[in-house]
Amino acid sequence: MSLRTFSPLLAALALAGCFSDLGPGDGPLPGQTGGDPTATTTGDPTTGPAPVCGDGLLQAGEQCDAGPLNGDWAICKTDCTVAACGDGFLAPTEACDGGDDCLPDCTFVRCGDGIVNQDDEQCDDGNRDDGDACAHNCRETGCGDGILQDGEICDHGPHNADTAACTTACTLAACGDGFVGPGEACEPADADPPCDVSCALASCVANTDPEPGEECQVADKTCTDKCLLNVCGDGVLALTETCDDGNLVSGDGCTPDCQLEECGDGLLVAGEACDDGNQVADDGCSPTCERDAYFVFVTAETFSGAFGNVAAADDHCQNRPRTPSCRARTAPG
């Protein structure tokens, strides 16, 4: 019989083999033992490559995986564990991580944390309320703390003095209180030299020639009605003064050099968001002392953005050469 005669027969046998159901005794299916289709091999199947930290895929054994954004100072660290307070790395949500000035919650020690932990703290009740026994600056409340409270007429803090505009009893200085205060030449109880009820020397009231104790004559342009040379803080408005509230305290509308506090004078007072000492617009502080721009830094280097906090970002830029790799830019506010 020729090969051509066998060809149809071989094709038929091959086709029959493809459709064989391999019943009992015909051999196992791949992955089965014997003739039982429910039985499987006991060998470990191939499941692909082992997990790789940093591939961006969260896999078994990883707490996180941000791919190229992983970093020791990022939310997801280089070992694919989530940043945690106390791990020694400064995470974006932490102000600090370790050190004498760092609390267990990774925030800096500060007034209001409930712990008396700084040399300048007299108390710390964990709040910023000035109405209780511990003020917002962690100083014990009372006359002399610089905070006006019930029963006080004034409180200039360290500026309080019996001879100042605000006395140590937190009352306003007044003629007749027994202390020679701002703008006073004497106290009425003084007999040598004689003092008038207005706290001026009796000789000054008579406006005679200069007498002992008088600094000038009332007729002089730089002289007060108590025969004292006019000075800032005496409560008397002089030629070069735009204000004089009788004290040398900042932030009350009149500067310590007796000029009205206003936007552009470089002194930050209540009601101002900023004061850069000029009236220039778009330089970060507007002519009305409101924020009109913010500074950003542009560097030639690439960072992931996981700096930890603003202070850390500033530190990165300050440690780079100012030109050309790190330059300040302003952006509209």
Side-chain angles (χ1 to χ4, degrees):
M1 182 179 294
S2 68
L3 182 60
R4 178 174 298 181
T5 304
F6 277 108
S7 294
L9 179 60
L10 292 172
L13 290 174
L15 186 62
C18 287
F19 286 95
S20 172
D21 61 6
L22 295 178
D26 289 333
L29 287 171
Q32 293 182 344
T33 58
D36 186 357
T38 63
T40 60
T41 60
T42 57
D44 292 333
T46 300
T47 58
V52 177
C53 177
D55 61 6
L57 301 175
L58 185 61
Q59 303 178 73
E62 297 178 346
Q63 295 179 357
C64 59
D65 197 326
L69 296 181
N70 286 2
D72 287 334
W73 288 271
I75 292 295
C76 190
K77 297 192 297 184
T78 52
D79 61 357
C80 285
T81 60
V82 176
C85 180
D87 60 10
F89 295 102
L90 188 64
T93 56
E94 298 172 350
C96 57
D97 198 314
D100 295 337
D101 294 332
C102 195
L103 295 175
D105 62 353
C106 285
T107 59
F108 284 117
V109 293
R110 65 198 180 280
C111 177
D113 59 19
I115 304 171
V116 181
N117 46 30
Q118 298 182 32
D119 294 338
D120 59 349
E121 289 186 354
Q122 294 179 342
C123 57
D124 196 324
D125 57 2
N127 65 57
R128 311 285 286 178
D129 184 8
D130 289 332
D132 54 21
C134 190
H136 74 280
N137 56 2
C138 288
R139 311 291 291 180
E140 295 176 354
T141 55
C143 180
D145 60 8
I147 302 168
L148 190 63
Q149 303 179 73
D150 292 342
E152 297 178 350
I153 305 301
C154 60
D155 196 329
H156 294 163
H159 298 283
N160 288 2
D162 288 333
T163 57
C166 189
T167 70
T168 54
C170 285
T171 58
L172 291 173
C175 180
D177 61 7
F179 300 101
V180 179
E184 297 177 355
C186 54
E187 276 291 308
D190 297 339
D192 187 21
C195 190
D196 186 76
V197 292
S198 66
C199 286
L201 293 173
S203 58
C204 179
V205 176
N207 202 26
T208 59
D209 292 336
E211 298 289 338
E214 296 179 3
E215 296 178 353
C216 55
Q217 289 293 287
V218 175
D220 299 337
K221 290 183 178 180
T222 58
C223 196
T224 71
D225 60 0
K226 294 180 174 56
C227 291
L228 298 175
L229 289 173
N230 193 291
V231 294
C232 179
D234 60 9
V236 180
L237 193 64
L239 295 177
T240 58
E241 298 174 346
T242 58
C243 62
D244 194 324
D245 55 3
N247 66 64
L248 301 177
V249 179
S250 301
D252 59 357
C254 190
T255 68
D257 58 356
C258 287
Q259 301 299 311
L260 287 171
E261 292 175 342
E262 56 187 8
C263 178
D265 59 11
L267 182 65
L268 186 64
V269 297
E272 294 181 345
C274 57
D275 196 320
D276 56 2
N278 63 56
Q279 297 288 326
V280 179
D282 299 325
D283 64 347
C285 191
S286 75
T288 57
C289 286
E290 299 178 25
R291 292 287 183 190
D292 63 1
Y294 294 87
F295 287 95
V296 297
F297 288 96
V298 180
T299 72
E301 300 174 61
T302 301
F303 295 95
S304 69
F307 294 114
N309 53 32
V310 174
D314 287 343
D315 186 61
H316 273 287
C317 196
Q318 294 299 327
N319 289 333
R320 299 299 183 277
R322 188 60 58 91
T323 304
S325 67
C326 196
R327 296 178 177 174
R329 297 286 186 269
T330 57

